[in-house]
Every structure is written in structure tokens, then in C-alpha cells.
Amino acid sequence: MAQERSLRISQVGLRGIVGNGLTAAHVLDFASAFSTFLEPGGKIVVGRDPRTSSIMMREGVIAGLLAGGHDVIDLGIVSTPVIQHSIRRLDACGGISIGASHNAAEWNALKFFGPRGTYLSTGEAGELLDIYHLKKFEMAEWRGIGHLHSDPDATERYLDELAQVFDIPKLARYRVLVDCTNGTSAPILSRMNERFGTRFILINEPLEGRDFAHEPSTTRKMVALQLAPLMQHVGADAGFLFDIDSDRVAFATERGQAISEEMVLVLLADDFLERGPGKLVITNVSTTALLEEIAARHGGQIVRVPVGRQSAIDALASYRPEQVAVAGEGTGAVMMPQFRFVYDGIASMLGILSMMDRRNQSLASILDGYTTYSILKGKIPLETHRIPEMLMEIEERFPDGVRNTVDGLRIDWPERWVHVRVSQTEPLVRVICEQRGGPPRALFDQVMDLVRSYGV
Amino acid sequence: MSRVHQLKISVSGIRGVIGDFLTPNLACAFAQAFGTYVGPGPVVVGRDTRSSGEMLEHAVTCGLLAAGCEVVKVGIAPTPTIQVYVSEIRARGGIAITASHNPPEYNALKLFNREGLFFNHYERTELLDLYHQSEFRQATNNEIRRVVTDFDSPPQRHFKRVLAHVDADRIRKRKFRVALDGVNGAGSLMSTHFLSEVLGCELHAISVDPTQPFPREAEPRPEVLDDLRTLIRETKAEAAFAQDPDGDRLAVGDETGHILDNDDVLALAVDCALHRRKGPVVVNLTTSSVIDDVAARHGCPVFRAPVGEANVVERMRLAGAVIGGEGSNGGIIFPAVQYCRDSYMGMAFLLDRMAETGQTMSELAASLPRYYRRMGKMAYEHGRLGSMMQALESLFPGARIDRNDGLKLMFSDGWIHVRSSNTEPILRLAAEARSEERLEELYSRALSVS
């Protein structure tokens, strides 16, 4: 079932299991479509993750872009944020990141960026998709074909930008354990150690093409398995775990606690709201209500949009950068206005370490200062055609709560909420349920049972 | 009608005008079909210096990787060098990205099997079926293999094979003054090195910058080699060579500034080869009778094959030929190096013969029997070809006839060969005779049927 539907072509880009859905022909067509979509003649930045299939996809992407008359600057194996930073720095007209981020090794994907280094808006992504489907690509004639260049300095210039916002040498006071999951964070952090004297202790450091040390997901579960048990042995002040392309991060405290991935956004929202000037936190309807509590403390406001990168990108466009404190998801993917709204796990990590430094508090003690919220998450495969019926029944079953239908159905009560939504990437329904204090077991079970009654 | 020329996907591979016709998407799909056909193993990829070469190299690499092949990139290299390399490293096959002598807006994929030979007719048909069926092998992340590069060893391996068949010391001692026109092609750097370093010549080269476009028509026909003629005169060169963009075709000039007829170049190479070892010779049906005369001096038989390198090579293998080629196309095929047209073996043979005999290039050429040749082409409408052939045959009732490739009419003092092009709707007409008058008679009568 999953294999039959492994290919997904949407406004988020192209994603699938290589050789089993995602093929070279898709890559070529998408690169040609992107080349047609962009202004003719500009440079395009390309980078990839260490997956074996990324080499194949790189070749196809480069061929498609050169044929469209664009010069290509290949950054090699780099994180997605490095690609996004480089687009602006090199005055390129766009960029492509080759890599499947938090997905397992057999997956791969293309992500597209515009001239400011940000993800395409929904309107732009829709246009790209139309060009892809029409398959009438603009090809340069033989004299106009682009040339391939490289830029070995990309990581170094990215570190320059990070160092302008964070006092990185000061963070050398911390001993930090990092699980790189064999991904692109490893070369960046080892260079940071050399250049700034930081003390990042890297595990799962070698770049791997086929076998990652573990599933590259930035979840509390993964932190609990991989990172938390080592924290006290190493005597680390903080522990971080990255996905393959380093746009997401999860973490553990010095006491060896694995912390919910929701808390990355919470910590950064707290810190950036406190420091201003931005007073808005843009997030989706599935993230923790602790955010509202923290925002109230700083006179800030939480803007909740539908789940998915595209909604956050579109929402950001309607605010001036200085209005926004931070934007992000409960998945550990957070963007800051200082970095032009690039989801960046490494910047998020530096943000958390800087917060510890500024408050002169340990990570665990900062977290102790927050009210406990308990979140339960579940997923159930479902036949697509019964979803509206199911949502309607849930709505009828809980008439006393406040309804929000921007993305599936969310119902809020004073100290708890439940969100039922359909996954954009898999044929299943997700149930997220949160309560101030202990876990909302009864509510969660009730909703799960109801959803399950529609299950396959 | 003009579209016919813009893109051609046929048993010869894929060839077309860059832009809207030969796209990276097509090249990638064709390469993936090729990778599926030859199986998961190393495949050599090289290219000539066309502006579209780098782009297509990435598309081809993408398709091969997607089919589970390991890609061995040799970069810019002459086609014969790629072919030698494929056979040396025991690859599954090879792809040369080159439109050979076609204009710069064209590009194409030349496909080689594991022996470094052009795909034979059956292989080509199977591959084409596979391409049309679009059921390619789709390698997964675990099955995708790597890209490796080898820019240095292919020329060395090629030179080593060539030098085994000439007396290199003898050539070096003469310190020949040689002029070269590399057309800024794939052989630019390699030929410079070969002539000046390996064979110790005093080299005067033009158009040997692979980053620049072709400065003249890509096919080294005598009419487009004025710059080389000037260079010969200015430098008082004893020999002159001109290549095509992928280094398989060779044109030769003598010390007087005269560009030799291609058939005479092949005849001189045949003479060299048969001097060293006797055996059968294979040429195409359009190649001059001068080959028969030269072979007869050595007591060796000549066999004829349909036009096309693959056809000549197949016939050579059957006959166990010592040497072969296609006169009109400037191609010398010497199987002891590799079954392919090879300008490097041609250059080495001719310089070795000059060193051995002490004769000048013009004296060598003058020693060949004199024939008069004329070639031309005429456009025809589809459907008219058969009746034209019949009309031609009835014009010459007494002729011996060979129908292996179009129609060849043979007389005691000359011949006419008419065939339709594989790539365009035109009829190629060639005639040869012992005298100029007879040639004109044969040629004009043949032309009258159109």
C-alpha cells in the first residue's frame, strides 16, 4: 500500500521512494519545469544530502537546469539551510535541495526555493506544478546552455551569518553532545569546533549513503533511544539530534531527559518574544497550547495556521519580518527572522544554547520553569472517502468546545484540546490531544476509538 | 519535413538539435534504456567539446545511475579513445556524447558494447525496443552505484596500443615538422601531446582549445581546411593533420599544402598495415578502387560492406581483416588497436611510413594509382526511391551489380554507387573512373535519372 503510493508530487515538491515510484524521469522533468518557471538566465544553487540516490538526482537536476539556460552552482553535500543562505549571498534566482530530510534512506525529494532563499509560496508552487504537468519546457538553444560551477566556501559563509546573530565562541562554555544521524550537520559542526572552539561532541558523524545509524526523525522517542542515555555519561550540558538535512532538531537535557520535539519552538518563542521586537509566533493548529501561555507572559500573540510548511510560508508573507518573533512547527523545525525564515536546526540549537547562556541556567532548569502540558499523538489508516463523515461525527459528539476547521477539526476547551487531521503525505488520520497537567487519556481514547470505527 | 533533421531516434542511437529537440530528458531516458540493456556494471561516459556536452553528460550519468550502473567518467575524450578504454577496463559498455562531424547545434549519443564496439544491428534493435517500452530498470537507494572519474589513463592506454604497431623511435629521430588543426575538438589536448611529446614532432597547431567553439565546419573536408593550408606554408610543415570534433576522422595534408583525398589516405594506411602483416581488407561500397590496387600489390583480398562504421566493423570481424575503413569518411579502422575509426593510428602510420621510406607525403600519395572521383547528393521524395534505382540500372545494362547497400554498378574502368542516407531523405551519389572524361560521363548519366 505504502509502496504503491510512494510518489507524491505536490506544491511541496517531489518526494518518493527512489526506484519504486520516484524515477530519473521525474527528476529531469521537475528540474526542467523549475528552470522554465524561473527568470531566464539566472544562477541556480543546488545541494544534496548524502543519500546514494542523491547523486543520481543531482545529475538529473544539473542537466535539466543547464539545458534551460541557467548556470548551476553546485554546493555538494550541504544542509538545506546552507543552500537557502547561499541563494541570497550568490544573488541566485533560485535553488534546489536534493534530499529527504527526516525520511528513511530509501526516500528522496526535491525542495524548491525562490530568489530570496525561501520556499515557494503556494501560488508559485502551483505554477511550477502546472508547468511540470504541461511538460512544455523552455530549452535554451545550443549557444545558451548554462555552465556548472562549484562554491567550496558555502559552509564557511553560512557560519559567518550564524556568527553575526549568535556569539558562538561564548557557547564554547558548553559541552554539547550531538547525534548527527550521519547527515549534513556533521561537517558544519566539526568546522564550527575548529573555527570557534566550540565543544560539540559528534556521534553518528560519518556521512552515509545507504544505512543511517537510526531513523532520521527528530522526535522525543528517537532522542530517548539514541541520545538521552548517553548524556550523563558524557557529562554534556545539552544534547541535540538532527535529521539528515539539518532543518530540524530535537534535544535532551543534562539530566538525560528526552524532551518533546514541541519544546524547540517553545524555548525559542520564549526567548525571542522576551527579546523582541517581534511579538508574533506563527505556528500550526497541532502545536502545544503552552505557546499561548508563554505569549501572554510577553504580551505576544500566537498565529495558528493549517499544518504544513506551505501554510507557514504563506502566513509569513502577510507580516513584516520585524513583527514576527519566530515561526515553526512542533516537529522541531523553527525559523527565525534573523535568518530570513529558513527552517534551521543548527540555528535553533545555537538559539537554545544562547538562551541558557543569557539566563545562566541549565537546560533542565529552564524547562522546569514551564507549566507541564501532556500531549498524546496517534495515527490510524483510513479510507479517504469517509473522512468528512468522520469529522462531522466528532464535531457532533463534542458540542461544548470551540471549533476550528482551518485544517481538519480542532476542538478547544479551557485546559485541553484535540486535533483530528488528515496527513498530507500518507493515507492516514492523525489525532493530537493535549492537556495542561497530566495526559488527557480519556479524551484521546474516545477520539481514537471514534476514528478507528472508520478505519480500514 | 525539416523536423526530420532535428531529431532522430533510430537504430543508430539518438541524434538531434539541442534545444527543443534533443532534450536532457530524452538523453536520460535513452541512457537508462542503455543501462537496463547492458546491466548493472561499469559504463564509460565521455564527450566531445560541444557546448551541450556537459549538460548531456549529466543527463546520461543520471540515466545510467538510475539503471544501477556505475559511471566511469573520462571527460572530454576522442571517440576511439573511449572505445579503447571500454574494452580495456572490461566495462559493460560505453556512451560517447558527440555528434561527430555534424554542426555544433547537434549532439548525439554513440553507444558501445562491452568490447568497445558500436552496437551491432541486433543490439541496436533490442535497445530501441527497450527504449520504446520504457520499462527501465529502476535502481533503489541501495542499488544505485557511484560515479568515478579517470581523465589520465584513457589517452595513455590508447597511445600504448597505437605505438605497438609503428616504430616510434624511427619517427622521433626524424623530428618531423607537423601542422595540426584540432577543430577545438575532443582531441585538441591529446593530439598536441601525442604529436609533440610522444612522437617528438615539431608541432604547429591551430584550433586546439577545447573551451572554444568549432572555428570551421566540423567535418574535415578539403574545402574547409584553408587555415591548415596556410599553416603548412607558413611553417613549412612536412605533414599536416586535421581532425573532426570527436577524433575519429582524419584529413591529411602534404608539404605542398595539398589536402589528400580521403580515399588516398586510407590507401596509404592500408599499404602501411599490409607491409607489416598480410591479410584481408574491408572497406565500404563507396570507397575507391585504389584500395583494391594497393591490396593486390600485397596479394591480399578486399571485401566490401555497406556504408557505416558498424557495418564495416562487422564485416571485418567476419573476414578477420588486418585493416579496413571508409574512404569517403576519412576513417581508418585498425583492429589491432580497436575496431573503430581512429585518427591517431592514421597519423602514426603515415609518419612511420615517411620515416621508413624517407619519402615526402606528396611522394607517398603520388605512388598511388590515379583515380577520378566525384560525389554528390540529391533530394528525393519518399516513394520515388525504387523507380529511380530501376531507371539507373536500365541505363547501364552491362554492369556488374551489388545491391548490398543501395545500388552499385561496376564497370571495368569505373563504378557508380547510389544509396539513400540513413539519416536524411537524400540520395548519395558517388562515381569513380580511371579518366576524367569517363567519370563525367558516368556521373552525369547517373544524375539524369533524378
Side-chain angles (χ1 to χ4, degrees):
Chain A
M1 179 79 171
Q3 294 221 331
E4 280 171 36
R5 301 229 358 220
S6 96
L7 181 68
R8 189 156 193 115
I9 290 171
S10 71
Q11 285 162 350
V12 177
L14 167 70
R15 182 173 156 281
I17 294 178
V18 174
N20 212 332
L22 176 55
T23 66
H26 293 119
V27 175
L28 253 314
D29 281 353
F30 245 105
S32 296
F34 189 56
S35 169
T36 304
F37 165 77
L38 293 174
E39 289 297 305
K43 296 174 278 189
I44 300 175
V45 176
V46 171
R48 68 178 196 274
D49 79 0
R51 284 176 171 82
T52 309
S53 62
S54 296
I55 301 168
M56 178 274 283
M57 293 178 58
R58 166 193 184 263
E59 297 293 325
V61 162
I62 290 173
L65 299 179
L66 294 180
H70 290 278
D71 280 0
V72 174
I73 302 166
D74 180 25
L75 306 182
I77 297 177
V78 289
S79 73
T80 297
V82 169
I83 298 169
Q84 294 178 266
H85 278 251
S86 301
I87 292 168
R88 273 280 281 256
R89 179 173 57 82
L90 298 167
D91 199 23
C93 67
I96 299 181
S97 172
I98 302 161
S101 192
H102 55 283
N103 293 122
E106 64 266 31
W107 290 81
N108 217 322
L110 296 181
K111 298 190 229 182
F112 300 93
F113 306 104
R116 291 180 307 281
T118 53
Y119 285 100
L120 302 182
S121 71
T122 301
E124 291 169 323
E127 201 183 317
L128 171 62
L129 212 51
D130 290 343
I131 297 169
Y132 168 79
H133 285 130
L134 212 58
K135 298 211 184 327
K136 283 186 184 152
F137 308 130
E138 307 239 341
M139 296 286 176
E141 54 112 53
W142 64 279
R143 285 185 208 86
I145 286 174
H147 295 282
L148 178 62
H149 308 276
S150 62
D151 179 27
D153 286 343
T155 296
E156 215 60 35
R157 300 289 80 79
Y158 164 72
L159 291 179
D160 292 347
E161 293 198 35
L162 290 180
Q164 279 170 20
V165 175
F166 302 110
D167 187 350
I168 302 176
K170 214 171 165 203
L171 304 179
R173 67 183 281 203
Y174 296 117
R175 193 172 159 81
V176 183
L177 185 63
V178 178
D179 184 344
C180 300
T181 321
N182 310 110
T184 55
S185 59
I188 297 171
L189 295 176
S190 74
R191 180 66 195 131
M192 216 184 276
N193 283 344
E194 284 170 19
R195 184 168 156 186
F196 298 105
T198 45
R199 293 187 294 152
F200 296 110
I201 301 157
L202 309 183
I203 57 175
N204 299 320
E205 185 184 358
L207 295 170
E208 277 291 337
R210 295 196 169 99
D211 300 303
F212 305 140
H214 53 78
E215 197 188 312
S217 67
T218 52
T219 57
R220 168 162 51 189
K221 194 175 130 206
M222 200 52 69
V223 173
L225 280 170
Q226 299 293 331
L227 196 56
L230 300 172
M231 290 298 294
Q232 285 172 310
H233 291 290
V234 175
D237 299 303
F240 295 88
L241 180 146
F242 290 96
D243 65 347
I244 303 299
D245 71 341
S246 317
D247 61 349
R248 296 181 177 190
V249 68
F251 66 104
T253 68
E254 75 280 8
R255 291 181 208 149
Q257 303 152 289
I259 304 301
S260 165
E261 59 272 21
E262 299 272 334
M263 294 304 288
V264 178
L265 177 60
V266 169
L267 283 171
L268 294 169
D270 190 9
D271 192 46
F272 281 85
L273 281 171
E274 183 178 295
R275 295 196 287 135
K279 287 293 170 197
L280 296 180
V281 174
I282 295 172
T283 187
N284 64 49
V285 287
S286 275
T287 49
T288 176
L290 174 56
L291 285 168
E292 268 85 1
E293 197 177 314
I294 285 168
R297 207 184 292 164
H298 300 297
Q301 194 193 334
I302 306 298
V303 178
R304 290 194 180 268
V305 298
V307 175
R309 192 169 70 206
Q310 218 53 57
S311 308
I313 299 299
D314 290 346
L316 275 172
S318 26
Y319 299 98
R320 294 193 307 279
E322 62 273 20
Q323 289 180 281
V324 180
V326 71
E329 304 173 350
T331 55
V334 179
M335 322 186 241
M336 305 165 202
Q338 289 84 350
F339 299 118
R340 304 184 212 104
F341 299 113
V342 169
Y343 283 118
D344 188 339
I346 287 176
S348 299
M349 176 184 74
L350 295 176
I352 291 170
L353 293 172
S354 300
M355 184 181 181
M356 289 162 57
D357 176 58
R358 202 164 20 252
R359 296 192 179 183
N360 205 16
Q361 263 186 295
S362 78
L363 190 49
S365 69
I366 293 176
L367 291 163
D368 284 345
Y370 297 120
T371 311
T372 305
Y373 279 74
S374 305
I375 201 160
L376 297 171
K377 297 179 184 179
K379 55 185 178 184
I380 293 167
L382 210 65
E383 281 184 48
T384 321
H385 71 276
R386 297 194 69 195
I387 289 167
E389 194 186 335
M390 175 203 70
L391 291 175
M392 204 137 40
E393 191 185 339
I394 299 170
E395 206 174 321
E396 282 163 12
R397 188 77 66 87
F398 302 100
D400 55 329
V402 180
R403 289 176 301 125
N404 177 340
T405 54
V406 300
D407 182 10
L409 175 66
R410 172 164 158 151
I411 306 175
D412 274 80
W413 295 272
E415 297 212 330
R416 61 195 175 122
W417 56 269
V418 64
H419 183 206
V420 181
R421 63 176 292 267
V422 184
S423 164
Q424 286 176 5
T425 50
E426 293 157 278
L428 50 83
V429 164
R430 295 182 189 281
V431 176
I432 307 104
C433 190
E434 192 188 48
Q435 180 168 273
R436 197 167 195 263
R441 184 54 68 183
L443 174 63
F444 180 72
D445 289 345
Q446 200 183 349
V447 176
M448 283 292 279
D449 283 347
L450 202 152
V451 174
R452 208 173 279 122
S453 71
Y454 288 85
V456 284
Chain B
M1 187 73 166
S2 70
R3 276 197 68 118
V4 179
H5 306 270
Q6 309 266 17
L7 179 69
K8 186 111 184 159
I9 297 175
S10 71
V11 289
S12 311
I14 181 166
R15 183 182 75 106
V17 173
I18 291 300
D20 291 334
F21 300 97
L22 179 51
T23 62
N25 315 54
L26 271 175
C28 175
F30 211 83
Q32 198 170 353
F34 180 86
T36 303
Y37 185 70
V38 300
V43 173
V44 177
V45 175
R47 63 182 173 95
D48 72 15
T49 54
R50 280 160 212 271
S51 60
S52 56
E54 183 179 43
M55 178 273 284
L56 287 175
E57 180 182 83
H58 288 289
V60 163
T61 304
C62 179
L64 290 172
L65 290 174
C69 297
E70 175 181 298
V71 174
V72 185
K73 280 168 96 157
V74 298
I76 292 175
T79 297
T81 310
I82 296 169
Q83 292 182 257
V84 166
Y85 188 68
V86 169
S87 72
E88 287 234 335
I89 68 161
R90 297 175 200 289
R92 292 286 181 118
I95 298 181
I97 301 161
T98 169
S100 194
H101 58 284
N102 287 294
E105 64 270 27
Y106 280 84
N107 217 330
L109 306 184
K110 287 185 174 178
L111 312 172
F112 310 118
N113 67 16
R114 60 172 65 218
E115 294 163 87
L117 306 180
F118 271 87
F119 267 26
N120 68 33
H121 181 74
Y122 308 101
E123 291 169 312
R124 283 179 283 170
T125 309
E126 278 179 349
L127 174 65
L128 195 61
D129 288 345
L130 197 64
Y131 170 76
H132 285 132
Q133 228 161 296
S134 295
E135 280 168 16
F136 308 144
R137 181 165 187 266
Q138 304 284 359
T140 63
N141 190 61
N142 277 325
E143 293 162 343
I144 289 174
R145 299 178 65 177
R146 59 191 179 150
V147 179
V148 296
T149 55
D150 184 355
F151 299 145
D152 298 331
S153 94
Q156 300 312 323
R157 293 168 189 261
H158 188 183
F159 294 157
K160 198 175 161 202
R161 286 198 182 184
V162 167
L163 294 180
H165 304 284
V166 292
D167 186 339
D169 282 336
R170 184 160 78 189
I171 299 171
R172 283 188 208 107
K173 274 193 194 115
R174 289 289 305 272
K175 295 188 172 55
F176 286 117
R177 203 156 45 248
V178 173
L180 169 71
D181 175 351
V183 72
N184 294 332
S188 294
L189 302 179
M190 192 172 142
S191 306
T192 310
H193 178 79
F194 182 62
L195 290 169
S196 63
E197 309 299 322
V198 179
L199 295 182
C201 301
E202 178 192 322
L203 182 66
H204 300 275
I206 52 170
S207 307
V208 286
D209 183 349
T211 66
Q212 295 301 309
F214 308 152
R216 58 157 163 89
E217 199 180 294
E219 187 171 0
R221 297 183 299 124
E223 304 90 274
V224 301
L225 297 177
D226 283 343
D227 288 346
L228 184 64
R229 272 189 280 266
T230 308
L231 186 66
I232 296 170
R233 277 185 221 109
E234 282 173 1
T235 62
K236 301 199 179 345
E238 298 162 86
F241 301 113
Q243 290 172 299
D244 74 341
D246 73 329
D248 58 355
R249 298 182 178 207
L250 179 68
V252 177
D254 68 22
E255 73 286 358
T256 71
H258 173 70
I259 307 297
L260 272 59
D261 190 283
N262 281 332
D263 290 83
D264 288 344
V265 174
L266 179 59
L268 289 175
V270 167
D271 197 28
C272 296
L274 296 182
H275 258 292
R276 301 182 73 94
R277 203 180 129 218
K278 310 289 176 224
V281 178
V282 174
V283 293
N284 73 25
L285 283 161
T286 294
T287 303
S288 169
S289 302
V290 69
I291 304 297
D292 303 76
D293 297 351
V294 169
R297 283 186 207 158
H298 295 277
C300 296
V302 175
F303 300 99
R304 293 198 183 256
V307 173
E309 181 175 344
N311 298 323
V312 173
V313 165
E314 264 178 69
R315 192 78 181 85
M316 285 178 74
R317 282 158 66 89
L318 284 175
V322 169
I323 188 166
E326 297 190 276
S328 53
N329 296 338
I332 295 160
I333 302 171
F334 184 63
V337 169
Q338 175 70 8
Y339 278 107
C340 65
R341 288 189 288 191
D342 183 1
S343 60
Y344 294 89
M345 194 64 238
M347 291 190 269
F349 264 149
L350 291 173
L351 292 175
D352 191 42
R353 193 86 177 113
M354 283 169 67
E356 183 189 5
T357 61
Q359 286 182 299
T360 64
M361 191 70 89
S362 64
E363 286 166 356
L364 287 177
S367 71
L368 295 169
R370 185 76 201 266
Y371 284 89
Y372 296 88
R373 288 183 277 279
R374 189 160 169 197
M375 276 185 270
K377 52 190 174 184
M378 37 193 177
Y380 68 88
E381 285 168 43
H382 286 294
R384 282 261 299 130
L385 186 60
S387 53
M388 283 167 79
M389 295 290 198
Q390 286 167 28
L392 190 61
E393 191 184 335
S394 56
L395 274 182
F396 299 100
R400 276 188 302 130
I401 290 174
D402 187 325
R403 291 184 197 276
N404 276 306
D405 184 13
L407 180 65
K408 186 170 181 182
L409 303 165
M410 289 164 283
F411 318 98
S412 58
D413 57 351
W415 51 262
I416 298 169
H417 183 207
V418 179
R419 56 181 285 274
S420 65
S421 160
N422 287 328
T423 48
E424 299 159 89
I426 58 169
L427 208 57
R428 294 190 190 281
L429 169 63
E432 183 179 73
R434 291 243 184 230
S435 73
E436 228 164 338
E437 300 72 38
R438 177 64 169 151
L439 172 66
E440 280 316 306
E441 186 200 343
L442 290 176
Y443 192 83
S444 54
R445 282 180 74 188
L447 212 55
S448 70
V449 304
S450 64

